[in-house]
């Protein structure tokens, strides 16, 4: 007889699992492979659809919020300010630099000085020549006074001799001599008078030369021509510059504007003085009041000669919208150049500004 074979451990575990399942009060359905992925894909598709609906609704709300009424147009641009070069009038060496890049300066503020030793020496020479000319004038005037005295004496001698000749106590020859002496004294007075005028003109010339040197020395003191901000420092201390060499470049904070381009129909309705708003990307909730200050007479981006109305409608004209200088003066520290933004122009004066553009900076 063959020995009995004991059941394996796997068989015993299978039987135990079957007995446990038989004792459960509920039925557990067996897992069917491949049914979970379709449900996940459907859920993701639902999420994408809901996101698209939300995005579309937000875009519609944003567009309706940003919609402009008829009569107001908008264009993008970049805020700019006039640049001013502070340059030398004469060739020379930079002696001092008194400001740095980014510093705010006032009109008339000294920003740099040039070496003026040679001009100062020339000024001292001219001033010495002025004193010399003054002494020459004093001498010429004294000589004139002396010649006038000789003239008076010659006139008295002539009168006395004429009387004596009439009495028979003097000769005609003596009378002629006295007349010649009077003529000589008169000529000497005229010469002395001319010499005084000549010395006075010489004094005027030397005085003007000295004044010219003073002006040249003053011009070597570089000042800011307007209120503004130093943008670049171009020269270094001790550098020798030619006449007209740039030392600083500054921006005029009293002349801030944005150049935008409007289509033919819109540009044709704009006028100098038309009210506008500037909204910078950095300050979207702070509209800046502005006005149109320039309208280009020639179109941009298209040929100068067009034949059809469609081509004419695509013509773009440059329009400059400038910020009020008084507002800039009150907010000088906040003026920035190069910031991008949008310019709104109210072509119809009866159009109402939207709420987001009605309250402007300064009000």
């Amino acid at each position: 007889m063959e020995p009995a074979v004991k059941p394996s451990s796997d068989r015993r575990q299978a039987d135990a699992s079957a007995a446990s399942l038989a004792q459960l009060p509920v039925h557990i359905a067996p897992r069917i492979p491949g049914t979970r992925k379709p449900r996940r894909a459907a859920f993701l598709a639902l999420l994408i659809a809901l996101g698209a609906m939300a995005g579309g609704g937000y875009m519609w709300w944003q567009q309706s919020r940003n919609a402009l009424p008829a009569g107001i147009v908008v264009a993008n641009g970049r805020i700019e300010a006039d640049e001013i070069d502070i340059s030398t009038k004469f060739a020379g060496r930079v002696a001092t630099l008194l400001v740095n890049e980014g510093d705010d300066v006032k009109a008339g503020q000294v920003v740099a000085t040039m070496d003026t030793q040679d001009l100062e020496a020339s000024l001292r020479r001219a001033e010495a020549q002025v004193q010399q000319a003054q002494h020459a004038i004093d001498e010429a005037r004294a000589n004139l006074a002396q010649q006038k005295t000789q003239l008076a004496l010659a006139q008295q001698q002539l009168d006395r001799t004429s009387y004596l000749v009439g009495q028979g106590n003097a000769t005609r020859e003596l009378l002629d001599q006295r007349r010649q002496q009077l003529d000589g004294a008169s000529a000497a007075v005229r010469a002395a008078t001319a010499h005084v005028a000549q010395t006075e003109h010489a004094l005027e010339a030397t005085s003007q030369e000295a004044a010219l040197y003073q002006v040249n020395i003053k011009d070597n003191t570089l000042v800011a021509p307007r209120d503004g901000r130093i943008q670049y420092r171009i020269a270094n201390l001790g550098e020798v510059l030619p006449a007209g060499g740039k030392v600083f470049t500054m921006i005029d904070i009293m002349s801030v504007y944005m150049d935008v381009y409007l289509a033919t129909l819109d540009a044709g309705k704009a006028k100098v003085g038309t009210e506008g708003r500037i909204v910078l990307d950095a300050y979207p909730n702070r509209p800046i009041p502005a006005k149109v200050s320039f309208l280009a007479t020639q179109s941009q981006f298209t040929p100068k000669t067009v034949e059809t109305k469609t081509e004419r409608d695509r013509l773009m004209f440059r329009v400059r919208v400038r910020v009020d200088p008084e507002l800039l003066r009150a907010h000088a520290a906040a003026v920035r150049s190069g910031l991008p933004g949008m310019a709104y122009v109210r072509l119809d004066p009866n159009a109402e500004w939207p709420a987001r553009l009605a309250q402007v900076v300064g009000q």
Side-chain angles (χ1 to χ4, degrees), residues 27 54 71 136 334 353:
H27 175 70
W353 287 109

Side-chain angles (χ1 to χ4, degrees), residues 339-354:
L339 296 179
M342 308 293 290
Y344 298 82
V345 180
R346 187 167 68 174
L347 302 178
D348 184 1
N350 297 321
E352 294 290 337
W353 287 109

Side-chain angles (χ1 to χ4, degrees), residues 19-50:
S20 300
L21 291 174
Q23 296 177 359
L24 291 175
V26 295
H27 175 70
I28 299 177
R31 179 180 178 183
I32 301 175
T35 60
R36 192 170 181 179
K37 289 184 179 180
R39 293 180 181 177
R40 181 180 299 177
F43 180 71
L44 290 176
L46 178 61
L47 288 180
I48 293 174
L50 291 176

Side-chain angles (χ1 to χ4, degrees), residues 242-279:
K246 298 179 182 179
V247 180
F248 292 106
T249 296
M250 61 172 287
I251 59 173
D252 182 4
I253 60 175
M254 295 295 104
S255 179
V256 178
Y257 55 88
M258 179 180 286
D259 285 342
V260 297
Y261 293 88
L262 299 181
T264 301
L265 297 179
D266 296 332
K269 299 177 183 178
K271 300 178 181 179
V272 174
T274 299
E275 188 178 4
R277 299 283 190 271
I278 294 177
V279 179

Side-chain angles (χ1 to χ4, degrees), residues 2 219 303:
E2 294 180 357
D219 286 340

Side-chain angles (χ1 to χ4, degrees), residues 144-217:
L144 175 60
Q146 181 181 3
Q147 295 302 325
K148 286 181 178 180
T149 302
Q150 295 295 327
L151 177 62
L153 176 60
Q155 184 65 51
Q156 292 174 358
Q157 289 177 346
L158 177 61
D159 294 341
R160 188 178 300 112
T161 303
S162 297
Y163 175 76
L164 294 174
V165 169
Q167 296 296 323
N169 296 323
T171 63
R172 292 260 177 203
E173 183 181 0
L174 181 60
L175 180 61
D176 294 338
Q177 292 177 357
R178 293 291 184 259
R179 286 175 179 172
Q180 291 177 358
Q181 290 176 358
L182 179 62
D183 293 340
S186 298
V189 168
R190 291 193 297 270
T193 303
H195 184 61
V196 170
Q198 181 181 2
T199 55
E200 288 176 347
H201 290 316
L203 175 62
E204 181 68 20
T206 54
S207 298
Q208 292 297 333
E209 185 178 4
L212 177 61
Y213 285 122
Q214 291 175 348
V215 171
N216 292 343
I217 291 174

